[in-house]
Amino acid sequence: MAISFTLNEREVAAEFPPNRLLIDLLRDHFKLKGTKRSCDMEVCGACTVLLNGQPVSSCTTLAADADQGSIVTIEGLSPEAGLSRIQQAFVDHGAAQCGFCTPGFIVAVTDLLSRNPSPSDDEIRHHLRGNLCRCTGYVKILEAVKSLVPPGREGVKAQVKA
Amino acid sequence: MRPAAFDYLRPTAVAEAVRGISGSDGAFFYAGGTELLLALKMRVLRADRLIDLKRIPQLDRIALSERGELTIGARATHRQIEESALVQQVLPALGRLCSQVANIRVRSVGTIGGNLCFAEPHADPGTFLAALGARLHLVGAQGERMVAADEFVLGEFETARRDDELLSHIVIPAQAGPSAYRRFRHGERPSVGVGVSWRLAKGGRTIETARIRFGALGPRPQAVEALEQALGGVETAKASGRIAELLPHALDALEVISDRHGGADYKRHLAATLLQRCIADAHQAALGGRP
């Protein structure tokens, strides 16, 4: 089948059999290797990309689902030169160890902060619960995300809701 | 892992989707795919044809009907339900339940209808919807019908839905009274789930009727009539004490499977604890005037 979609703000098209998975299209056809295959069963989060603005496991999404929509991968979240503010925060706080889970975390954090710029610690933990880090680096990752919340604004949305 | 080859249809109307599935043994409806694609990748299931439901309008609609019932389109995602202002207003316990399903990626694309139709016993929505007395609307080649959530799940991965029927939406009598759902988690799935809903007598202090369902313990959500009957006519503040008298033996009748989520005795213990917490939640909701 033939599809066309926006990939990291670029119009692209591809043709493939319907059983093709999104992760294979991204890694094999478009050579975007930042999206990692790990658990292969939507548990670990290493393959997270944004599909129409929502985080999805690209290992368990059909490539066909991108048709007429938009996909953002870790490559699309990185400026041409230097690092994004989320990437920089991960570097500054030592939140990347082997680095394998990091792209998935950056995509998940992008989704969190775009909807809730001032998450509480609990909200950060809840949102990132589905991203696994085998280097056990969660404390550093939490610190990196917390550093992106404006001082005194933690959990503002949660308080308003309550 | 990748699924074996299949045909792929993208209907834009319910009737077209139903026609697409009729007469084909290996055709499956496809929405979020969070469970179906896993099964296809592991080759536990084999599909000749997937019928993508995402281009059919209105199947993800969340609304309050004229009769005061909450209707939720089967294709509404867990995240959509969690974030719905209407759900937060009329049935906040359902929003909280959806916020706890699996992980954010599954919640973003996984649908409530897919969850119900897949009928994995370790799942939350079916238990709570049965406790709420929800009804499921099915559309098939031979017409439409409503099935009670209680009658929908027949066993593990087995439902009352015929192969050519599409689950279009769920109808929940949301404003009947306070409700609560609690679960104990093992990995990303519930080991035990307990749902409670009450209809209150005039004045709002006394329980008229109670519905209680236990999920994930056996193949399908289960009721314990003795517990439900014991709460009739009891003040909400005294419900916890009334249940405590019965709990030592009331759960003996439940079918509980020992598995990697825990042994049967342990799960019964969890079920009793979660039930008491649900009753405390429902009492609080009754005091606060919010179901």
Side-chain angles (χ1 to χ4, degrees), chain B residues 262-280:
Chain B
D265 289 347
Y266 174 59
K267 289 186 190 175
R268 278 203 182 85
H269 170 76
L270 289 174
T273 303
L274 293 173
L275 173 59
Q276 284 291 29
R277 291 184 185 173
C278 279
I279 286 171

Side-chain angles (χ1 to χ4, degrees), chain A residues 12-86:
Chain A
V12 296
E15 195 159 352
F16 50 81
N19 63 338
R20 192 84 184 269
L21 295 165
L22 182 58
I23 190 170
D24 295 321
L25 185 74
L26 295 173
R27 286 181 57 87
D28 300 343
H29 184 79
F30 289 105
K31 307 296 179 196
L32 296 171
K33 303 286 188 177
T35 300
K36 305 300 185 198
R37 184 195 303 281
S38 185
C39 74
D40 217 2
M41 48 195 293
E42 71 195 358
V43 168
C44 79
C47 70
T48 308
V49 301
L50 298 176
L51 164 62
N52 301 327
Q54 300 260 13
V56 301
S57 296
S58 58
C59 75
T60 321
T61 301
L62 290 180
D65 287 322
D67 191 25
Q68 310 297 316
S70 85
I71 297 286
V72 176
T73 69
I74 183 65
E75 289 86 355
L77 296 174
S78 313
E80 279 188 25
L83 298 173
S84 72
R85 68 185 198 115
I86 298 175

Side-chain angles (χ1 to χ4, degrees), chain B residues 30-227:
Chain B
Y30 168 63
T34 56
E35 297 188 286
L36 178 63
L37 279 180
L38 273 186
L40 294 178
K41 282 171 66 171
M42 290 188 285
R43 311 278 172 122
V44 176
L45 286 179
R46 170 79 196 236
D48 301 326
R49 177 186 295 172
L50 289 198
I51 298 153
D52 187 348
L53 302 176
K54 287 191 289 293
R55 298 202 174 176
I56 302 176
Q58 300 292 316
L59 273 185
D60 61 352
R61 190 162 167 267
I62 301 175
L64 206 57
S65 77
E66 284 169 13
R67 297 172 58 187
E69 295 175 317
L70 185 66
T71 65
I72 298 184
R75 213 189 58 222
T77 64
H78 303 295
R79 193 176 202 183
Q80 206 180 326
I81 296 168
E82 168 194 352
E83 293 179 347
S84 157
L86 181 61
V87 172
Q88 286 171 14
Q89 188 196 333
V90 302
L91 194 54
L94 182 66
R96 281 193 294 275
L97 179 158
C98 286
S99 78
Q100 298 296 322
V101 169
N103 61 55
I104 186 63
R105 303 176 308 282
V106 168
R107 292 196 291 278
S108 291
V109 292
T111 65
I112 191 158
N115 185 296
L116 292 170
C117 290
F118 200 74
E120 149 75 73
H122 291 104
D124 299 299
T127 306
F128 190 42
L129 291 174
L132 290 165
R135 305 186 313 280
L136 279 52
H137 187 253
L138 296 162
V139 184
Q142 286 150 34
E144 305 181 10
R145 63 180 179 131
M146 297 290 277
V147 177
D150 259 332
E151 311 294 325
F152 188 66
V153 179
L154 303 178
E156 293 174 345
F157 307 101
E158 199 188 338
T159 71
R161 185 183 73 86
R162 287 193 290 263
D163 287 344
D164 70 341
E165 284 180 316
L166 174 74
L167 172 59
S168 67
H169 61 276
I170 300 143
V171 180
I172 309 170
Q175 294 181 316
S179 59
Y181 179 78
R182 291 261 184 170
R183 48 97 76 125
F184 185 82
R185 192 162 60 90
H186 174 93
E188 293 194 334
R189 290 191 175 277
S191 298
V192 183
V194 180
V196 167
S197 75
W198 290 343
R199 184 181 293 276
L200 300 179
K202 261 195 189 133
R205 294 293 170 86
T206 305
I207 301 166
E208 197 168 88
T209 55
R211 293 176 65 92
I212 303 169
R213 293 293 179 277
F214 298 90
L217 296 170
R220 47 180 295 189
Q222 300 172 66
V224 177
E225 280 179 26
L227 290 173

